[in-house]
Amino acid sequence: MARILLIDDDSTVRYALKQVLERAGHQVEEATDGQIGLQMYASGRQDVVVTDIIMPNKEGIETIIELRRMAPDLRIIAMSGGGRTGNRDFLAMAEKLGAARIIAKPFRPRELVEAVDTVLKAA
Amino acid sequence: MGVSTAISAPEPLGFSAANMLDGIEAPAALLGADLKVIVINEAARLHASDRSAPGLRFLPGRSWRELCQEAEAVGVGVKLEALPVGIGEVRVSLDYTARRRSRFKAYRLSAKAMAGGLGQVLMVQTDLTRLAVTEQRLIEAEQHLADLAELSSDWLWSTDGELRFVELASPHGPLWRRVQPRLIGQSLDDLLGKVASEISRRRPFRDVVAEVKIKGKLHRIRFSGKPQFDTDGDFEGYVGLASDFTAAHDAEVARDAAERRLRDIAELSSDWFWETDGEHRFTYVSEAQHGVARVGLDQAIGRRRIEMIDEAMTDPAARARHLDDLTHHRPFRDFIYGSSSLGKFHYVKVSGKPRFDEGGRFLGHVGTTTDVTQVVESEKRREAAERRLKDAVEHMPGGIAIWDEQYRLVVCNDEYWSPPSDGIGRTYEELARQFRTIGPGRIESADREARIQERIRRHRNPPTSDEVVFGNGEVHQVNERRLGDGSMVTVTMDISRLKRREKELSDQRSLLQTTLDHISDGIMALDEKWQIVAVNDTFGELLGLPGDLARVGASFAAVVEWLARRGDYGTEQAETVAVDLVEKMSRAPRWYDEREMPDGRHISWRMGEIQGGGRLIAVADVSEQRQAERRREELRTTMAQAQQLESLSRLAGGLGHDLNNMLLPVMTLTELAMDELPEGSPARGDLERVISAAEHARGLVQQLMTFTRSAGKNGRFASLDLVLAEASDLLRATVGPNLFVRLELGAPGAGVPINATEIQQIVMNLGTNAAQALGERRGTLTIETALVEPNDNRLSGNPRLDPARRHVRLTVTDDGPGIPAELLPRIFEPFFTTKAVGKGTGLGLAVVHGLVSQCGGVIEATGDAGARFDILFPVADQAVNQKGNHNGTHSADR
């Protein structure tokens, strides 16, 4: 069982993923964008952060960079519905910046559960 | 008929006849109808009484026949048989000569019937001795002149230092013996006073005439002399030659006088006689002698001659003198006047003398008249002709000169020789030495003499046509011709301006040619008849014409015909094509054409009108221009396509993102819900279908996203052949058993700047495409690769390819229905599909295009016999070698 911070601006996505993760036995806290996510992590220091990339206010790449600064060993799973927007390949970039795993949306529930298990095991 | 008839002739007739006879200077007689002498005049009486006088004596009673027989007896060369015995109306004359006491005499015996029908005959004996003698003298004088010319009568003479004649020597003649004593001891300068100054300066002299009186006769002697000096330079005297030309001079004078007399007598011999009364009215006019017919001459009777003078055609001074002579009853001679009183206009010359009776009372004039019309008129015509010639010569624009057959200048104008009077009479040779072109001082002497001789030679062998350059730069054209009578005419014209123009023109022409030769276009100028007047070498080179076809003077039609024969204008008859084309061009003031040559070059033809006539044609090689235009067009299309794809990819990217986000809860929540359901619940099956549909949607979005990403992938590369070999199993599984997949890999080890998944995606998409096109039918999909070396032709067609790089070609072909040509340009557009709804996404080929383009490759499709896709990838091993550079390039692209 791990404490997981889930950052996504889409409430339906958050609801679905929270269901998946809670059924796998994890405790899930939700943030609606990167800004809120950072504040929640600063106060909550969750075990794993699952974050979307394309979000309002503070988008995912920036969020990952700041999270990494706050906690160099933090396990981050980045997910995105668009591998690329404009000229930037966000998932590839997220991986470079320190996301332990990247998952392209949409995915089957077990893909996320496995990803979380994997990063937890690696720790 | 008899003597009595004559004697008893009516008195008025006798009186009239006597009057008439007295008016005649020569012995004259009137014969009766029996041809015997009735009356004689004073001259005949005097002649008959002088026993020593030669000639026939007219005595009353002597008959014509008797007189003729006497003439035959004394005359020389008289043929009496020729004379008619009876005279009647016939006029006869007999010329005979006689010698009496060694004197030569010549006479003419003339007889003619008198007017009036009484059978009377007028007989006149004219003394022709003077005429004959003068003729004889003339012959003698000419002979004498010839003799003198033959006998060179030069004498040698010398003087001493005091100029006194010391020696004279002669080869001939008694005259010299008389001259010698007259000259010896006389002083040379006394004798030759005219050249005294030359002699005193001891200079030579030539042809100085001295008159020397010898035995009462004046002799003309011509002297020429040269001074002599001894070895010390002291003057020794003169030596020289002298010749007496008195005889020649005299002979010349005599000949002139004889000629004049001969002319006078000859003129007098075509007379008719007339007589006037005290009031100057004609009382008698004879008929003309010697064949001069005077029709209506007798109508003059009773009229005054002075009234018959045409004043306009007569010299007024001479007329006034003549009137004065008449008024004062003086004799007159050779008064010439014009008259048309007697029918036709005539000039006549009249001479007459007055007659007086015993009491000194003026009775009138008798005289002779000569018709001189022909002489006067021909003289006037000659004068007029000469005047016209002179006028014409003077007014000629250029120089003109006429020469006689001795090459002496007869007439010329100021332009030829100024003043003309200075040149006339001199020979061409004399003048040539003064010519401004070859005259003194112009040219070195030896050369000058040669040139003068050459000019004279040419002058004597016309026709000539020379251009002569003057010292001041003027150029004259000299033309010489021989005229019919052996004389020559020279015409000169200043052609300096013409020559300058000619030079300017030739300078301009060479400037034009130089300009033409340095123009990169082919230029041809044509005149109105479509003949070539100027052309440069480039013209023929650009069109590949044979060397002599496009040359000045040739016809443009021949050039076009040659091109037509080569096949430049299709397969029609070459002549027809050429004629039609020239016809078409001649109708249009401007004309433009562009055509591809057999060797693939594009040649443009431009034609324009030349101001003042003719056409100018310019041909240019526009191949590069056309190729550049084509490339620009292709590039533009490619860029437009790229932009289109770019915007679509943005759209697709955003859409894909949102779809993925939506699909996520669908898939996860459905799965969670399914977990809630008991095993065997019928809802589980439904939810599985939801998931399956979502998976399908995810695949679709995935493809969309791949397309979106396609422009962004770089840096990775894969071995094409290897990847294809690996992907073939998956492809076979995907396309099903109906499509046989064949691999022909010919580029082992060649890397391409694209990752394996993408290569897979390309062949999978193309394979799927083929499978769907074939449907249920069986077919073959061929996948082949080959290396394309740098500078291969296949690399030159697309600006996106770098011809200097190696490339690898991937070709995917099927034997399906192919792609209609009109669809070819659109098949790479996203969402373009010909498949039924639900069968294809319309993204497959767009994704392939995106992947290929992203790595610097190109894809082309043909569809006429099955679909064929040719993909050219740049080979990546070179890119690997220059990795930094390559990446940098791509970074800049992004």
Side-chain angles (χ1 to χ4, degrees):
Chain A
M1 209 270 302
R3 287 173 58 228
I4 295 173
L5 175 60
L6 175 65
I7 310 171
D8 200 308
D9 57 325
D10 190 323
S11 58
T12 316
V13 172
R14 281 202 309 277
Y15 169 78
L17 295 185
K18 192 176 177 196
Q19 295 297 314
V20 171
L21 290 171
E22 283 179 349
R23 287 201 188 187
H26 302 296
Q27 183 190 331
V28 177
E29 290 162 66
E30 295 173 51
T32 55
D33 62 35
Q35 190 66 42
I36 295 164
L38 281 172
Q39 291 165 4
M40 287 178 68
Y41 179 75
S43 57
R45 296 280 165 175
Q46 292 82 353
D47 303 322
V48 176
V49 174
V50 176
T51 180
D52 189 22
I53 303 262
I54 297 155
M55 291 177 295
N57 292 336
K58 194 171 283 275
E59 46 88 13
I61 297 294
E62 242 180 301
T63 310
I64 293 169
I65 293 167
E66 291 188 22
L67 286 171
R68 180 69 48 219
R69 203 176 290 145
M70 267 190 257
D73 299 327
L74 175 63
R75 286 154 290 224
I76 303 169
I77 295 169
M79 56 184 182
S80 177
R84 176 176 168 270
T85 303
N87 282 327
R88 291 190 288 173
D89 191 342
F90 291 117
L91 281 177
M93 208 176 284
E95 197 171 23
K96 250 180 211 158
L97 292 170
R101 287 294 297 267
I102 50 172
I103 322 172
K105 288 179 182 173
F107 43 80
R108 301 290 283 270
R110 67 171 177 279
E111 289 180 67
L112 179 60
V113 175
E114 278 170 17
V116 172
D117 289 350
T118 309
V119 298
L120 286 172
K121 252 178 232 157
Chain B
M1 172 153 184
V3 177
S4 60
T5 315
I7 291 168
S8 63
E11 208 45 37
L13 175 70
F15 173 74
S16 171
N19 276 353
M20 186 197 71
L21 291 178
D22 279 345
I24 300 171
E25 281 181 339
L30 191 68
L31 279 71
D34 56 354
L35 295 178
K36 285 186 175 160
V37 175
I38 306 169
V39 189
I40 58 174
N41 71 353
E42 188 61 25
R45 255 191 298 279
L46 285 170
H47 180 256
S49 63
D50 181 2
R51 301 298 299 174
S52 65
L56 304 177
R57 279 167 183 71
F58 295 173
L59 290 171
R62 292 194 78 178
S63 73
W64 166 256
R65 188 167 177 77
E66 262 179 82
L67 288 163
C68 287
Q69 282 167 345
E70 194 187 330
E72 189 189 26
V74 298
V76 178
V78 179
K79 290 272 182 293
L80 194 59
E81 292 80 34
L83 288 173
V85 177
I87 294 170
E89 292 299 313
V90 183
R91 195 164 51 78
V92 297
S93 72
L94 166 65
D95 287 353
Y96 72 96
T97 58
R99 279 185 186 273
R100 193 180 168 88
R101 292 183 194 161
S102 80
R103 283 173 72 189
F104 173 83
K105 298 298 281 179
Y107 294 97
R108 172 176 293 161
L109 184 64
S110 312
K112 69 180 285 289
M114 291 292 286
L118 289 171
Q120 291 178 325
V121 172
L122 175 67
M123 183 171 71
V124 183
Q125 178 172 251
T126 315
D127 186 350
L128 296 179
T129 308
R130 282 202 305 168
L131 179 69
V133 167
T134 308
E135 239 174 339
Q136 186 61 34
R137 278 200 195 141
L138 186 63
I139 293 163
E140 281 168 5
E142 272 168 356
Q143 184 58 47
H144 191 50
L145 268 182
D147 290 347
L148 282 172
E150 266 177 29
L151 292 173
S152 166
S153 59
D154 284 349
W155 315 315
L156 289 169
W157 54 265
S158 61
T159 70
D160 60 13
E162 314 300 322
L163 299 173
R164 277 187 297 271
F165 284 100
V166 291
E167 196 188 342
L168 295 103
S170 163
H172 311 286
L175 178 68
W176 178 245
R177 280 195 291 280
R178 293 202 296 273
V179 174
Q180 194 169 18
R182 176 78 181 73
L183 289 183
I184 295 288
Q186 198 184 333
S187 170
L188 178 66
D189 50 356
D190 283 353
L191 186 66
L192 305 176
K194 289 179 213 165
V195 287
S197 69
E198 302 289 316
I199 292 169
S200 69
R201 280 185 281 166
R202 313 300 185 220
R203 289 169 66 164
F205 56 88
R206 190 165 186 81
D207 294 345
V208 183
V209 176
E211 291 182 344
V212 182
K213 207 167 197 170
I214 300 162
K215 300 219 163 162
K217 184 170 165 49
L218 203 61
H219 283 253
R220 291 160 194 280
I221 302 175
R222 196 184 281 129
F223 286 85
S224 298
K226 239 174 96 177
Q228 298 290 303
F229 301 90
D230 66 16
T231 46
D232 295 323
D234 290 331
F235 176 66
E236 286 189 318
Y238 273 89
V239 296
L241 289 170
S243 61
D244 183 328
F245 65 105
T246 315
H249 179 77
D250 289 349
E252 248 169 27
V253 170
R255 186 185 60 173
D256 287 349
E259 269 184 350
R260 203 166 53 244
R261 278 197 298 275
L262 178 66
R263 206 164 47 239
D264 287 351
I265 291 162
E267 276 176 10
L268 275 171
S269 65
S270 69
D271 292 352
W272 63 91
F273 309 112
W274 51 263
E275 190 177 293
T276 53
D277 63 15
E279 302 298 317
H280 310 294
R281 287 187 192 86
F282 283 108
T283 51
Y284 171 75
V285 178
S286 75
E287 279 199 27
Q289 294 193 11
H290 302 289
V292 184
R294 285 279 127 248
V295 179
L297 211 56
D298 48 359
Q299 289 170 11
I301 304 292
R303 294 175 65 185
R304 291 156 65 103
R305 180 172 53 250
I306 199 72
E307 292 161 358
M308 297 161 75
I309 296 171
D310 184 339
E311 291 183 27
M313 305 303 282
T314 306
D315 177 13
R319 182 172 164 272
R321 251 193 332 270
H322 181 60
L323 281 178
D324 200 51
D325 286 340
L326 291 179
T327 312
H328 293 95
H329 309 147
R330 285 196 294 256
F332 51 88
R333 191 168 176 82
D334 294 348
F335 167 56
I336 296 176
Y337 66 94
S339 172
S340 43
S341 298
L342 304 174
K344 220 169 109 187
F345 180 84
H346 289 277
Y347 282 105
V348 290
K349 186 165 83 181
V350 62
S351 301
K353 65 182 199 182
R355 290 181 305 119
F356 302 94
D357 65 8
E358 287 78 3
R361 194 163 54 90
F362 177 64
L363 294 175
H365 282 85
V366 292
T368 59
T369 301
T370 311
D371 184 334
V372 292
T373 309
Q374 281 192 343
V375 179
V376 172
E377 282 185 346
S378 70
E379 183 69 15
K380 280 183 186 250
R381 274 200 300 275
R382 193 182 58 77
E383 277 172 9
E386 266 180 15
R387 204 165 46 244
R388 275 199 299 276
L389 176 68
K390 217 166 152 243
D391 275 2
V393 164
E394 273 170 15
H395 290 96
M396 278 282 289
I400 183 164
I402 295 172
W403 315 81
D404 64 18
E405 59 271 42
Q406 302 299 312
Y407 309 109
R408 251 180 259 280
L409 184 58
V410 177
V411 62
C412 75
N413 63 0
D414 221 46
E415 285 280 316
Y416 186 79
W417 197 265
S418 180
S421 58
D422 176 51
I424 286 167
R426 295 169 70 192
T427 64
Y428 183 83
E429 182 167 355
E430 284 166 0
L431 296 181
R433 292 183 191 285
Q434 291 183 37
F435 281 170
R436 277 191 288 157
T437 46
I438 45 179
R442 266 275 297 154
I443 303 158
E444 205 203 324
S445 62
D447 190 25
R448 181 166 73 243
E449 185 55 30
R451 287 183 58 157
I452 290 168
Q453 291 306 329
E454 170 61 14
R455 193 67 200 82
I456 291 166
R457 193 190 65 73
R458 287 190 54 71
H459 178 74
R460 291 182 177 184
N461 293 285
T464 66
S465 181
D466 293 334
E467 279 178 15
V468 178
V469 182
F470 280 51
N472 59 5
E474 280 179 21
V475 184
H476 286 228
Q477 173 84 37
V478 178
N479 287 306
E480 293 175 315
R481 297 283 180 281
R482 197 178 285 287
L483 302 176
D485 62 351
S487 59
M488 303 259 310
V489 61
T490 303
V491 179
T492 71
M493 183 150 304
D494 184 350
I495 55 165
S496 311
R497 279 181 60 202
L498 209 65
K499 294 305 272 184
R500 275 199 298 278
R501 288 262 177 79
E502 213 171 72
K503 169 119 180 21
E504 281 165 16
L505 206 65
S506 111
D507 285 353
Q508 269 177 9
R509 188 159 289 173
S510 69
L511 175 67
L512 174 67
Q513 193 59 52
T514 311
T515 310
L516 288 182
D517 289 346
H518 288 82
I519 287 177
S520 58
D521 287 1
I523 302 285
M524 177 181 274
L526 302 166
D527 64 14
E528 283 116 329
K529 291 175 183 158
W530 294 83
Q531 303 273 310
I532 301 170
V533 291
V535 62
N536 62 1
D537 291 345
T538 318
F539 191 94
E541 285 160 11
L542 278 176
L543 293 173
L545 299 176
D548 59 337
L549 197 56
R551 66 184 148 73
V552 172
S555 110
F556 176 67
V559 174
V560 178
E561 195 179 314
W562 188 89
L563 291 174
R565 278 186 205 290
R566 187 171 65 178
D568 282 23
Y569 303 104
T571 53
E572 291 165 65
Q573 281 286 308
E575 293 88 346
T576 323
V577 171
V579 169
D580 286 354
L581 186 61
V582 173
E583 164 78 16
K584 200 158 73 186
M585 288 171 82
S586 55
R587 276 202 305 269
R590 284 166 182 286
W591 185 75
Y592 183 86
D593 187 25
E594 193 177 314
R595 53 183 62 251
E596 195 172 343
M597 302 281 288
D599 60 6
R601 286 178 305 140
H602 283 260
I603 299 292
S604 75
W605 291 68
R606 280 196 314 280
M607 183 201 73
E609 279 181 315
I610 298 172
Q611 198 178 5
R615 309 290 171 114
L616 190 75
I617 294 178
V619 297
D621 185 347
V622 292
S623 310
E624 280 183 20
Q625 233 169 301
R626 293 292 160 267
Q627 204 172 344
E629 273 169 20
R630 208 171 50 238
R631 278 191 186 154
R632 262 201 305 281
E633 184 56 31
E634 279 171 6
L635 195 63
R636 208 182 58 74
T637 312
T638 310
M639 279 175 72
Q641 235 168 26
Q643 276 173 353
Q644 208 176 11
L645 289 176
E646 175 74 16
S647 59
L648 279 165
S649 78
R650 281 173 187 275
L651 178 70
L655 188 67
H657 176 264
D658 293 352
L659 282 172
N660 282 340
N661 274 315
M662 288 173 211
L663 284 172
L664 180 64
V666 172
M667 283 167 75
T668 49
L669 293 177
T670 306
E671 205 165 318
L672 293 181
M674 206 164 67
D675 288 348
E676 302 283 317
L677 291 171
E679 289 283 329
S681 160
R684 256 183 182 265
D686 293 347
L687 291 179
E688 261 175 22
R689 282 192 191 87
V690 173
I691 290 171
S692 172
E695 289 270 354
H696 192 76
R698 177 173 72 168
L700 187 57
V701 174
Q702 199 64 44
Q703 282 199 343
L704 188 65
M705 300 302 278
T706 304
F707 166 67
T708 304
R709 244 194 325 270
S710 62
K713 297 280 165 71
N714 75 89
R716 290 161 289 183
F717 67 96
S719 168
L720 185 61
D721 282 6
L722 207 61
V723 175
L724 289 173
E726 282 171 359
S728 60
D729 288 343
L730 180 65
L731 181 63
R732 288 192 182 99
T734 311
V735 297
N738 282 347
L739 190 61
F740 173 69
V741 176
R742 196 175 70 198
L743 284 184
E744 288 177 15
L745 303 178
V752 286
I754 184 170
N755 66 26
T757 321
E758 288 163 340
I759 295 170
Q760 247 172 22
Q761 221 170 340
I762 289 166
V763 288
M764 293 295 278
N765 281 354
L766 293 176
T768 310
N769 212 56
Q772 285 170 346
L774 279 161
E776 297 302 309
R777 282 175 292 151
R778 299 176 75 89
T780 305
L781 182 75
T782 308
I783 297 169
E784 56 177 311
T785 58
L787 277 172
V788 178
E789 295 302 325
N791 301 320
D792 191 289
N793 277 345
R794 281 167 289 190
L795 302 178
S796 60
N798 196 307
R800 286 173 54 85
L801 296 177
D802 178 2
R805 284 184 70 169
R806 271 175 98 208
H807 286 71
V808 61
R809 174 173 58 84
L810 165 63
T811 302
V812 179
T813 35
D814 67 46
D815 48 5
I819 309 163
E822 67 271 17
L823 298 180
L824 277 174
R826 298 189 58 202
I827 56 170
F828 296 116
E829 288 176 15
F831 305 114
F832 176 80
T833 179
T834 58
K835 295 164 199 159
V837 177
K839 279 275 198 152
T841 61
L843 279 171
L845 291 179
V847 168
V848 172
H849 187 275
L851 290 170
V852 172
S853 301
Q854 150 210 292
C855 71
V858 295
I859 179 164
E860 274 177 14
T862 50
D864 40 359
R868 176 190 171 108
F869 293 89
D870 281 296
I871 303 168
L872 281 164
F873 294 108
V875 169
D877 47 359
Q878 291 175 352
V880 172
N881 292 342
Q882 311 167 2
K883 195 160 184 168
N885 191 9
H886 177 74
N887 283 342
T889 305
H890 274 267
S891 302
D893 283 346
R894 308 176 84 189

